[in-house]
């Protein structure tokens, strides 16, 4: 059984994935796949250079993330251009990893899901992680040192909570003590173990 894990920037997807991983659950993270594709000699580098020019590539040969972040979150056309290069490659690699999964259930972490997203069809169930917007901004300011205006632009480029709630099966409200989060994850883990007995989908 494959659980899709989604949520806005800073909502806590990685924190939640790490806790499931501690329970022995396999995680496929599309952010990690994306980082590998855009690392030095990653398979997306030549297309990024071709489409965004030499400034998009850092001295070590990887994609210049700061340059691209500024570019894509200030222009939806530039964002769509980058997504049109990366998303098919991310999807192909995610599908390859899904074929090699074992265990009762696994998690596919995808930051960008909306109600029309083809990721939804790959998953048996969707878990949405959420927290108040002010908290997303506070966490990302602390973690990345970005300013609130820059973070707000990223939030604006992502689907709304109303859209996400329309396709989520489970919602984890990650706004409180870590102990509370751990308990909620154990509760979901038990549910997923039970459900996995009855459910299996191929890509
Ligand atoms: C825009 C980029 C260069 C910013 O890199 P940076 O290192 O600063 O941030 P990082 O990759 O850690 O992303 C942080 C968060 O930004 C958000 N985000 C990333 N890409 C996008 C996007 N295309 N649209 C909206 N939000 C996004 C997500 O919440 C993500 O978790 C990078 O995220 C990227 O290459 N994005 C395009 C690929 C993509 O869509 N990845 C998401 C996985 S499907
Ligand atoms: N319940 C919580 N209370 C306080 N801080 C938290 C909580 N959950 C997560 N964080 C912190 O908030 C930051 C963002 O969390 P995390 O990286 O898990 O989110 P994410 O959804 O994966 O983010 P992104 O979309 O940017 O990759 C991290 O620094 C994390 O340690």
């Amino acid at each position: 059984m494959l659980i899709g894990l989604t949520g806005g920037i800073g909502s806590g997807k990685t924190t939640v994935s790490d806790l499931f991983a501690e329970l022995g659950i396999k995680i496929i993270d599309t952010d990690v796949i994306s980082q590998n594709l855009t690392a030095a000699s990653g398979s997306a580098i030549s297309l990024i250079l071709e489409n965004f020019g030499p400034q998009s590539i850092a001295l070590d040969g990887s994609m210049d993330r700061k340059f691209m972040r500024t570019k894509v979150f200030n222009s939806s056309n530039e964002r769509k251009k980058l997504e049109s290069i990366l998303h098919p490659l991310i999807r192909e690699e995610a599908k390859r990893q899904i074929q090699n999964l074992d265990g009762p259930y696994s998690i596919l972490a995808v930051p960008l899901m909306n109600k029309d997203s083809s990721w939804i069809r790959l998953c048996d169930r969707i878990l949405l992680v959420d927290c108040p917007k002010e908290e997303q901004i506070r966490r990302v300011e602390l973690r990345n040192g970005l300013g609130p205006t820059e973070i707000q632009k990223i939030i604006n480029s992502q689907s709304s909570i109303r859209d996400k709630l329309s396709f989520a099966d489970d919602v984890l409200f990650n706004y409180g003590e870590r102990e509370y989060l751990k308990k909620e994850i154990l509760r979901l883990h038990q549910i997923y173990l039970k459900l996995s007995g009855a459910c299996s989908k191929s890509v």
Side-chain angles (χ1 to χ4, degrees), residues 7-11 13-14 29-32 34-35 38 48 63-70 72-73 79-80 82-83 86-87 90 109-113 119 136 140 143-144 146 153-159:
I9 185 165
S11 57
K13 297 174 295 295
T14 308
D29 187 335
T30 55
D31 262 345
V32 173
S34 180
Q35 278 158 22
T38 54
I48 288 169
M63 178 177 78
D64 186 327
R65 304 187 78 82
K66 187 167 183 289
F67 173 84
M68 290 306 287
R69 189 173 64 224
T70 308
V72 305
F73 293 125
R79 178 164 51 83
K80 284 178 189 146
L82 180 63
E83 289 175 353
L86 287 177
H87 286 189
I90 294 173
V110 184
L112 307 176
M113 263 193 211
W119 293 110
Q136 283 178 276
V140 179
R143 188 191 58 188
N144 299 75
L146 300 181
K153 278 185 188 162
I154 300 177
I155 292 174
N156 292 347
S157 74
Q158 302 186 335
S159 63

Side-chain angles (χ1 to χ4, degrees), residues 43-195:
S43 47
I45 289 296
S46 57
L47 278 170
I48 288 169
L49 176 63
E50 199 178 298
N51 282 273
F52 293 97
Q55 274 184 296
S56 63
I57 307 298
L59 284 176
D60 67 357
S62 64
M63 178 177 78
D64 186 327
R65 304 187 78 82
K66 187 167 183 289
F67 173 84
M68 290 306 287
R69 189 173 64 224
T70 308
K71 208 164 184 68
V72 305
F73 293 125
N74 282 301
S75 155
S76 63
N77 280 345
E78 297 291 316
R79 178 164 51 83
K80 284 178 189 146
K81 193 160 83 173
L82 180 63
E83 289 175 353
S84 72
I85 296 170
L86 287 177
H87 286 189
L89 296 170
I90 294 173
R91 199 178 158 80
E92 189 188 332
E93 173 58 17
K95 278 189 170 186
R96 195 193 60 76
Q97 293 187 18
I98 290 169
Q99 305 286 5
N100 294 324
L101 286 172
D102 52 20
Y105 75 90
S106 305
I107 288 186
L108 174 66
V110 184
L112 307 176
M113 263 193 211
N114 59 53
K115 69 176 181 348
D116 303 317
S117 180
S118 55
W119 293 110
I120 296 174
R121 288 196 298 279
L122 281 182
C123 302
D124 298 291
R125 213 173 163 85
I126 304 291
L127 169 60
L128 169 66
V129 188
D130 191 39
C131 72
K133 191 178 81 178
E134 296 67 32
E135 178 68 4
Q136 283 178 276
I137 294 174
R138 191 189 70 80
R139 289 178 189 169
V140 179
E141 270 183 309
L142 267 178
R143 188 191 58 188
N144 299 75
L146 300 181
T149 315
E150 204 173 358
I151 301 166
Q152 184 64 56
K153 278 185 188 162
I154 300 177
I155 292 174
N156 292 347
S157 74
Q158 302 186 335
S159 63
S160 66
I161 184 65
R162 184 186 283 260
D163 178 275
K164 288 184 188 114
L165 283 171
S166 72
F167 59 81
D169 299 289
D170 306 304
V171 181
L172 193 47
F173 194 56
N174 176 31
Y175 185 40
E177 297 297 317
R178 304 257 175 174
E179 282 313 306
Y180 164 78
L181 187 63
K182 278 188 183 170
K183 276 191 196 140
E184 282 297 285
I185 283 168
L186 268 180
R187 187 179 65 81
L188 285 166
H189 179 61
Q190 295 306 329
I191 294 173
Y192 294 156
L193 285 178
K194 278 203 181 129
L195 287 173

